[in-house]
Amino acid sequence: MTPRLELDALAAGYGGSAVVRDLSLDVAAGQVVALLGANGAGKTTTLLTVSGLLQALAGDVRLDGRSILGRAPDRLARDGLCHVPDDRGLIPGLTVSEHLDLVRAGRAERAQVDEWFPALAPLGARRSGLLSGGEQQMLALALALVRHPRVLLIDEMTMGLAPIVAGSLIPVIRRIADEEGCAVLVVEQHADLVLTVADRAVLLVHGEVALSGTAEAVRRDHDAVVAGYLGSAAGGASAPDPSPGT
Ligand code: ATP
């Protein structure tokens, strides 16, 4: 079956210089794929390129088997691709309810938000700038959810959140894939956390794939590969042969 989202030998970057090279991955409907890597590895650049905010330098990105390179971000949004950026994309002066108005959430969608994120239910009149980090992330996810995305890109969902809050939000990713049949590509620095809900994962090191495979295989090899690269960056051992996993 054609994967819903495919990145094929993608190169992405700025001003003609690639910071991500030769990245291939695919995400089927109902699947969660985690894109892992340290600061500056190229994760955000990848998501910006998939959602049409940056021009690809080489390779292809396909939605349902069709290239979407050059398609405008607003058209991609209408085609069902939804991007939750790392700054969460909220407007601080607008309330929770006003954000839901913006995405034209009707009664059924608001009930769905209350069911998925009960903590938001009493906060309808609160400005998003006054929400906690976890509540802001819930709102960002809720705004994505009510649009019933076919592909969801989530950037650094747990950034700045207390571990307990991050741990309580991560299962939502699995639920979106399972219950909405959405293809989810999630960028995360906390590999241990996201690998508990991902089907597969890709580890980027300096913009290149260092490890890719099932969540279980990546969980097993992740630390050793990262340690190997850190060792080589410190001028010691050479990088390990990146295992493709299973
Ligand atoms: P982080 O978690 O720190 O955002 P990341 O893996 O998402 O890490 P990117 O933000 O994709 O990494 O950055 C990859 C590289 O591209 C970094 O070296 C960064 O300095 C560079 N970069 C990011 N934005 C720009 C830009 N607007 N112009 C030029 N270079 C950029």
Side-chain angles (χ1 to χ4, degrees), residues 192 195-197 211 214-223:
D192 50 341
L195 287 174
T196 61
V197 297
L211 186 63
T214 63
E216 195 189 331
V218 170
R219 191 183 301 123
R220 195 181 55 229
D221 297 338
H222 174 271
D223 292 350

Side-chain angles (χ1 to χ4, degrees), residues 14 19 38-45 156 189:
Y14 306 89
V19 298
N39 276 329
K43 307 178 302 295
T44 295
T45 303
E156 297 287 6
Q189 272 192 47

Side-chain angles (χ1 to χ4, degrees), residues 33-36 43-44 47 154-158 185-189:
V33 173
L35 188 58
L36 309 172
K43 307 178 302 295
T44 295
L47 293 197
I154 310 177
D155 199 351
E156 297 287 6
M157 175 163 154
T158 66
L185 179 60
V186 56
V187 153
E188 188 55 64
Q189 272 192 47

Side-chain angles (χ1 to χ4, degrees), residues 191-209:
D192 50 341
L193 215 51
V194 75
L195 287 174
T196 61
V197 297
D199 296 291
R200 284 179 292 114
V202 174
L203 170 67
L204 282 183
V205 177
H206 306 315
E208 292 184 359
V209 175

